[in-house]
Amino acid sequence: MTKCIFCGMCQEACPVDAIVEGPNYEYVTETHEELLYNKEKLLANGDKWEPLTYSNHAPVKLAFGPTPEHDSSRAVSCCRGLPPALGVRPLQLAGLVRHRLAVLLVHLQLASQAPVLLHTLAMAAANNTADATGTASAPAAAVLDAATFRRIHPQEFLRRFLAHRLRPDGRPPAAFREAHVSKGTLTSAHGSALVRFGDSTALCGIKAEVAVPPPDQPTLGYFGGTGVCELPNVDFPPLCSPKFRGGPPSEFTQSVSEFIHQVTSQCNLVDLASLCIEPGRAVWVLYADIVFLNYEGNAVDVALTSLVAALQNTRLPKSKYYELEATVKVTSERTIPIVLGSTPIASTFSLFEGEEEPLADPTEEEESVQSGEVTVVVDADGGSLCGVLKRGGGTLPVAALDSCVELAEGRARAVAKVLSAGGQ
């Protein structure tokens, strides 16, 4: 054979990946004999093209700061120990092997694991490298950069921040993200509100319909899972975060919806008697739909706040029941606000093993590594404690719980001011 047909068999057979494609991949000679390469000609060809080949396969730099330049005296001779009869020129391929491995992992869509394997391979190559006298060379610096370390070891990444009483977003452990409220964002709904905590954004809409009251409670309307009214619907579409998929509601979605239902029923969020149109004949039914536009953690707090803000913005039309026709007629203008019995505000805290201080208003990244969480609901009107819910594992000392309740009371007052400033 006088010409390479690029079958790749030689590369597969070479145990150290020393056979690479050089710049002289096609030879043009005047005679056939010049195309026949023996050991001496192969070595001479290596001496000629080895520097360029190595420069085209530079080592992958993994260190934080400046990386020491390559030292030829510490280069790995990949073919050391192989029989000379093979006629293969030893190449400095420690960096080349790492480079080819990185390319392979990217093609296999395993880029998140590539830095770890490259780091392991670099340290192993450094430990196994010896110079001509047999003395071991100093290992090269191969440190994971911050972004890679954050993806591979998220819990340790967070702990190193907490050791300095800081979080990756710059907040102290007890600090909440800034709350933003915009009411009346949907003109087609009876009430609506857009709420944002940091980057977590939810839109809530309220629709009202007329229905017949229950026989045992003829003067009460429906809201939040009572009677014919369904539970508040919470939706996490795929556009809000890659962690969510389309289809039936997930367990996480159902847990948030159930929490909203428990709060609305136990805290008397809506005065159901104010929804009565005609006792025993007609009452209002309120339906709530909460859609997350962007999710960056703490779904419970954002969802409940958006629901409270939308109810504060809800306006019902004037209505009158006509006995002879057994119908309800309403005006086109919506001017009658509904009566709220309380203003519950939820504050969630993440728990971590080995950390005594919980993290207020956790982000999605912090939720992914938490051992548990606790949610404290406080009525912003009277400052009373509406309830405490703990989910997941982890322990919560009494002192830490008292601190969470105190922080939740302050958070409720702050959010109440934002709700008042957000309009009607």
Side-chain angles (χ1 to χ4, degrees):
M1 181 183 300
T2 61
K3 186 177 180 180
C4 178
I5 61 174
F6 303 97
C7 65
M9 297 181 64
C10 61
Q11 291 179 299
E12 296 294 334
C14 181
V16 290
D17 202 10
I19 302 177
V20 297
E21 181 180 346
N24 55 341
Y25 59 90
E26 181 151 347
Y27 295 88
V28 179
T29 61
E30 295 181 358
T31 63
H32 173 74
E33 287 73 14
E34 295 181 62
L35 294 175
L36 300 179
Y37 274 68
N38 55 18
K39 175 182 176 181
E40 288 71 20
K41 294 180 65 175
L42 285 174
L43 293 178
N45 185 73
D47 291 334
K48 180 180 180 181
W49 298 108
E50 181 176 339
L52 181 59
T53 301
Y54 181 77
S55 64
N56 291 335
H57 299 82
V60 179
K61 296 182 179 180
L62 300 176
F64 267 18
T67 303
E69 295 297 331
H70 174 72
D71 185 359
S72 59
S73 65
R74 295 161 55 183
V76 178
S77 182
C78 297
C79 298
R80 177 174 290 132
L82 296 180
L86 291 179
V88 182
R89 178 67 173 177
L91 297 178
Q92 301 170 352
L93 293 177
L96 173 60
V97 174
R98 284 182 284 161
H99 172 77
R100 293 176 63 86
L101 179 59
V103 174
L104 176 62
L105 290 172
V106 170
H107 284 307
L108 294 177
Q109 297 182 351
L110 295 175
S112 61
Q113 302 179 19
V116 178
L117 298 178
L118 292 175
H119 175 73
T120 304
L121 181 60
M123 299 305 296
N127 293 334
N128 294 330
T129 301
D131 55 20
T133 61
T135 58
S137 301
V143 183
L144 298 180
D145 59 84
T148 303
F149 184 77
R150 186 175 192 170
R151 295 184 60 186
I152 299 174
H153 305 289
Q155 191 166 10
E156 181 62 25
F157 181 83
L158 179 60
R159 289 187 185 278
R160 295 191 181 186
F161 274 90
L162 295 180
H164 301 278
R165 291 188 53 79
L166 283 177
R167 295 154 75 172
D169 57 4
R171 290 183 293 156
F176 293 85
R177 291 175 291 184
E178 187 177 358
H180 300 271
V181 177
S182 177
K183 298 180 182 179
T185 53
L186 299 177
T187 58
S188 59
H190 290 79
S192 61
L194 181 70
V195 172
R196 179 165 60 89
F197 287 6
D199 290 333
S200 291
T201 307
L203 176 64
C204 179
I206 305 294
K207 292 291 289 184
E209 295 180 358
V210 177
V212 178
D216 56 336
Q217 296 176 328
T219 60
L220 299 183
Y222 299 101
F223 173 73
T226 59
V228 297
C229 185
E230 300 176 354
L231 296 176
N233 179 47
V234 182
D235 185 23
F236 294 88
L239 65 87
C240 74
S241 175
K243 67 177 292 185
F244 300 109
R245 298 290 182 267
S250 63
E251 182 179 350
F252 173 76
T253 303
Q254 295 181 36
S255 66
V256 175
S257 180
E258 178 61 26
F259 174 83
I260 300 297
H261 166 60
Q262 294 293 336
V263 172
T264 56
S265 59
Q266 296 179 12
C267 297
N268 189 28
L269 178 56
V270 177
D271 183 7
L272 300 181
S274 66
L275 302 179
C276 180
I277 300 175
E278 182 70 22
R281 300 295 184 179
V283 295
W284 287 108
V285 182
L286 301 181
Y287 298 95
D289 292 279
I290 305 172
V291 180
F292 274 78
L293 306 181
N294 189 60
Y295 180 71
E296 190 54 40
N298 202 0
V300 168
D301 296 8
V302 179
L304 181 58
T305 304
S306 66
L307 176 62
V308 173
L311 289 173
Q312 291 179 347
N313 178 252
T314 299
R315 296 294 183 270
L316 299 177
K318 294 182 179 180
S319 56
K320 184 176 180 180
Y321 180 79
Y322 291 88
E323 185 69 31
L324 295 179
E325 302 176 3
T327 58
V328 176
K329 295 184 179 181
V330 299
T331 60
S332 58
E333 296 181 355
R334 302 169 182 172
T335 58
I336 303 177
I338 61 176
V339 180
L340 300 183
S342 62
T343 307
I345 302 297
S347 299
T348 300
F349 303 85
S350 282
L351 308 177
F352 296 89
E353 295 182 2
E355 299 291 338
E356 297 182 357
E357 187 174 7
L359 301 186
D361 190 11
T363 63
E364 183 181 8
E365 180 184 18
E366 294 167 346
E367 289 179 341
S368 65
V369 295
Q370 68 183 10
S371 58
E373 64 179 12
V374 57
T375 300
V376 181
V377 183
V378 176
D379 183 5
D381 292 337
S384 59
L385 182 64
C386 297
V388 177
L389 174 64
K390 183 179 180 300
R391 297 179 290 271
T395 59
L396 183 64
V398 176
L401 179 58
D402 293 340
S403 176
C404 291
V405 173
E406 183 178 355
L407 291 173
E409 292 174 349
R411 176 64 168 178
R413 291 190 294 268
V415 174
K417 292 181 180 178
V418 177
L419 291 174
S420 301
Q424 301 296 324

